[in-house]
Amino acid sequence: MSEHDPALLSAEIDIRGLTKIFGEGATAVTAISKADLDLDRGAFISLLGPSGCGKTTLLRIVAGLEAPTEGSVSIRGLPVWRGRKRSRKATRPVSMMFQEARLFPWYSVAENVALPLRITGASNADRMARAREICATVGLKGFEDHRPAQLSGGMRQRASLARALVTDPQVLLLDEPFGALDAMTRDTLNLGLMEVCARARVTTILVTHSIAEAAFLSDRVIVLAPRPARITNVVDIPFARPRTLDLQRSTAFQDIVADLRTQLMEGHDA
Amino acid sequence: MPRSANFWRIALPAIAVVVFLVGWSVYVRTAEVSAFVLPPPEAIAVALGHLILDPNLWYHARITVTEAVSGFVIAVTLGTVLGFLMARFPPVEWAAKPFIVLLQLVPKIALAPLFILWFGFGLESKIVIAAALAFFPVFSNALIAFKSVDPGDSDVMTMLQANAAQRFVMLELPNALPVVLTGMEVSVVMSMIGAIVGEFIGGSEGLGYLAVKYLQELSVPNLFAVVVVLTLVGLCLYLLIGRLRAWLAPWHASSTGSH
Ligand SMILES: Nc1ncnc2c1ncn2[C@@H]1O[C@H](COP(=O)(O)OP(=O)(O)OP(=O)(O)O)[C@@H](O)[C@H]1O
Ligand SMILES: [Mg+2]
């Protein structure tokens, strides 16, 4: 889509010609092929695409967990990758929520949520108070002292979201955060997430399999197709913010959802 | 659980033990087994009763426990540290590998006389034998445990910009603990064996020495009684590890399971 514009160097996240190939020779898998993407500060974009089309891989490269085969990623002008070495400085403002909850079983829910603050050296009282506060906002009040094994799958995801938010990140990478949640809780958390992201102008990349969720939350939806994995389309979502759940009932919204569905299916057939 | 199931869970093992003891007693009497070979259980019970009241026994028991526990502590410390270093720094593993494999293949018991030669007839040689036997279960478990950090958990720490010390304290150590504790459960038994074998072959103190002494006196009920005491001591040490597990790794299934 957009050609490289020097004025966009101020972009919060800048992805240029990103390619990732796993393996070599006959068994090589192209997970991402020449992806270009830029996000201004506070932008909320979603990645939509079939299973195995490279969404997680894209997030992991942005997060500095997987080195790209080609191309570059910059966060606030700092390259995330120098060759195969990740830059701690560039990834400092980034918080990632993984596809699995990834809580540590030896800590309580509150201790898990407080872990990022413990690592940055916050005092025990401060970080636990903050952890309890954020547990309450994701609906885990009363479960702070439970162990992760005592939570349901959806509750673990919420604890994982709380851990991702506890540091007030400037860049948020969310890999199917609400997959295990019921529709009502999902709506509530989506509204909460939009509010947090808007208030702190958090730049967010969300991976989801829900077309409606992508359309509801995002400024832009990136449609990906598999084999070879690539960006097939970028759909701007024009609705004003703040958005309410009523938006989902409007015809304009449903038209966009239908349009996205068609594009996803085309990608599938290609 | 229904009440009757609860009842049988306690009653059945009790009945089984009683049947076993009665059967033993009846067999010894009817088959006219020599009391030198296999005394009836009641004779052992009497001997045990006398032995337990004898302060001499507790002196010897203290010696054996001291040897076994010292050897165990040395083995756990060395095994955990070396296991961690080898898991964390592959060159250490490459360098240490040939020695580890060789030492693993040597029957450690066969080294016991050598240790007596090197460290004398006192406590030291028994501690070394106990440590030698107890080392490998902890070491090999620690090596696997410190190697088996889930890459996804490691990614979490990477995203949180954790340094090496934080990684160790918050991820690698707690992740390894349940498996290391399992190694310790085996090791504590091995260290008892080591201490007793050391006392068998060169000692003037300890329960192993006492057993040999009773054998020479052909005091078989006393010999059995010593074995019972040894078993009880071993059981106490084993249960202690269970307490340690409940305290150090309460989140792990092994802590709430059958122990
Ligand atoms: N570490 C790896 N080694 C080899 N191949 C990999 C690796 N990680 C991912 N792949 C391959 O890259 C492709 C994209 O994987 P990725 O996990 O990014 O998909 P995804 O879009 O997140 O799928 P899903 O929606 O199922 O989570 C897949 O074909 C996968 O097999
Ligand atoms: Mg994925």
Side-chain angles (χ1 to χ4, degrees), chain B residues 9-246:
Chain B
R9 277 196 72 147
I10 296 167
L12 270 183
I15 293 169
V17 169
V18 170
V19 166
F20 172 74
L21 291 176
V22 170
W24 175 355
S25 182
V26 168
Y27 167 72
V28 169
R29 277 154 211 285
T30 55
E32 293 181 355
V33 179
S34 160
F36 283 133
V37 178
L38 182 66
E42 54 271 27
I44 295 172
V46 170
L48 188 64
H50 286 301
L51 216 60
I52 281 177
L53 295 176
D54 184 354
N56 199 30
L57 171 88
W58 297 110
Y59 169 74
H60 288 292
R62 205 161 54 236
I63 298 281
T64 304
V65 169
T66 306
E67 293 162 353
V69 169
S70 309
F72 174 71
V73 169
I74 292 171
V76 168
T77 311
L78 284 181
T80 310
V81 170
L82 196 63
F84 171 72
L85 289 178
M86 280 173 62
R88 197 74 173 64
F89 307 103
V92 178
E93 181 169 13
W94 304 335
K97 195 86 188 197
F99 300 99
I100 296 289
V101 171
L102 270 179
L103 284 176
Q104 209 153 11
L105 293 174
V106 172
K108 261 71 65 186
I109 294 275
L111 295 178
L114 199 60
F115 289 142
I116 304 261
L117 180 72
W118 288 347
F119 300 101
F121 288 91
L123 290 191
E124 294 84 352
S125 57
K126 282 79 173 181
I127 293 174
V128 173
I129 298 168
L133 258 75
F135 172 77
F136 275 98
V138 171
F139 163 74
S140 45
N141 276 35
L143 179 61
I144 293 171
F146 282 113
K147 273 186 178 177
S148 60
V149 172
D150 190 307
D153 289 345
S154 182
D155 285 343
V156 170
M157 294 307 264
T158 305
M159 285 317 293
L160 299 180
Q161 316 275 0
N163 61 32
Q166 290 168 330
R167 253 173 210 277
F168 179 74
V169 172
M170 300 172 200
L171 173 58
E172 289 160 355
L173 186 61
N175 183 64
L177 264 178
V179 177
V180 174
L181 280 159
T182 302
M184 284 165 67
E185 262 166 21
V186 180
S187 276
V188 82
V189 176
M190 298 303 280
S191 68
M192 275 297 283
I193 295 177
I196 296 163
V197 166
E199 291 165 358
F200 278 172
I201 57 174
S204 51
E205 300 175 302
L207 292 174
Y209 160 77
L210 210 56
V212 173
K213 184 171 149 258
Y214 286 137
L215 180 68
Q216 283 161 354
E217 295 169 1
L218 290 180
S219 174
V220 181
N222 273 326
L223 178 56
F224 268 92
V226 169
V227 172
V228 172
V229 171
L230 278 172
T231 308
L232 291 178
V233 170
L235 180 69
C236 287
L237 292 178
Y238 184 83
L239 291 178
L240 221 60
I241 304 290
R243 299 296 311 151
L244 200 64
R245 181 191 285 283

Side-chain angles (χ1 to χ4, degrees), chain A residues 60 88 92 102 105-106 119, chain B residues 155 160-161 166 170 251:
Chain A
R60 288 176 58 82
R88 280 172 75 98
R92 191 155 292 144
R102 291 277 166 219
W106 42 88
I119 285 170
Chain B
D155 285 343
L160 299 180
Q161 316 275 0
Q166 290 168 330
M170 300 172 200
W251 72 88

Side-chain angles (χ1 to χ4, degrees), chain A residues 48-61:
Chain A
L48 204 55
S51 184
C53 72
K55 306 180 295 294
T56 297
T57 305
L58 182 66
L59 284 198
R60 288 176 58 82
I61 295 172

Side-chain angles (χ1 to χ4, degrees), chain A residues 5 25 97 116 138 160 193 212 217 231:
Chain A
D5 176 353
M97 183 184 164
V138 298
S160 182
L193 183 63
L217 293 173
I231 296 179

